[in-house]
Amino acid sequence: KDTRAAGRRRTRAALLFSIFSKSYAVRFHGLERLHPFNAAKGKHIHKALCAELSLVEGSFYEPEELTKHQLRRIHTREYLRSLRWSLNVARIAEVSLMAFVPNKYLQQAYLRPMRFQAAGSILAGKLALDYGWAINLGGGFHHCCSNRGGGFCPYADISLLIVRLFEQEPCRVRRIMIVDLDAHQGNGHERDFNNWETVFILDIYNAFIYPRDHAAKLSIRCGVELQNQTEDAYYLRQLSRCLMQSRADFRPDVVIYNAGTDVLKGDPLGNLDISAEGVLERDRLVFSTFRALGIPVVMLLSGGYTKASAHVIADSIVNLRQHGLLD
């Protein structure tokens, strides 16, 4: 009995640095279903982790909603004002019917949950610095930059996290690496940190899908442009090579890992053929590479548009724990 109780305590401690809030969910009378993005993905992962690891509600940190003042640390005043126009919000969310909805409803049903998810990314950064790792069950809005949103990304949480770490942790954080393994190019943070010597961007993505942002691509220090239907063997081989090269070229103080699962086979937007086992191995490679060096890892979930995505993410987190990477 004592052994089982100790095991449960270790399990709860292992997931203490995961972040989730019920306020993450986008609910808009079904309009959110017009985009392939699973607006309740975080909730499904949370439920699966609680069932798999016998966790309780208190095992997860909950962020507070980002304020306008906090958003202004990265976003221009003009961009934040543009979110008051339903037409612009509809363009960002890629749901044209939203253009005809009063903006106050969009603020509450879509933008407010996204502000909570972005806040979760900020909180994950703080926890990772103190404890070695943190996972936000949301966020990863890598198509948004300081003055423009897109691809269902209204707030630049990755850029905001980087700026806040540099400003608030100058002694502990001088160099940051982004490892972006979402199926889409991370053009938002790439535009924000062009020519920043202190920010290293590794990006592996399908070159034949959105956003095809050639100007942003210039910021990538280590990258691979994948073909449609790329499979596990080639993908993992290129990832291993890039991780080794990046580690040799740049020693970060913290890694922001954008762990999109739209690389999964059958994803309607990613158009790659990575298996669930491939995603688990991908995540293990990233965590083991940097945790072995004592470098904190912040994991954000980003894209993923299949029904299986949430369960694959939950399985991957359990797998990371089983490999001793979430101690």
Side-chain angles (χ1 to χ4, degrees), residues 216-236:
K217 188 167 64 174
L218 298 175
S219 299
I220 299 172
R221 308 260 290 269
C222 184
V224 179
E225 294 190 335
L226 302 172
Q227 303 284 325
N228 288 322
Q229 279 76 57
T230 295
E231 296 182 344
D232 288 11
Y234 179 80
Y235 180 78
L236 293 172

Side-chain angles (χ1 to χ4, degrees), residues 23-28 32 35 37 39 79 83 88-95 98 103-117 141 149-155:
S23 298
Y24 280 13
V26 176
R27 303 183 188 89
F28 202 77
E32 68 276 5
H35 190 282
F37 185 80
Y79 174 69
L83 297 179
N88 193 44
V89 177
R91 180 192 62 78
I92 293 168
E94 299 179 334
V95 179
M98 283 186 172
N103 187 261
K104 66 177 181 179
Y105 295 115
L106 296 182
Q107 293 287 336
Q108 185 68 21
Y110 170 56
L111 293 174
R112 182 173 181 268
M114 293 302 185
R115 287 193 292 270
F116 268 97
Q117 290 194 38
F141 304 139
F152 211 77
C153 301
Y155 300 112

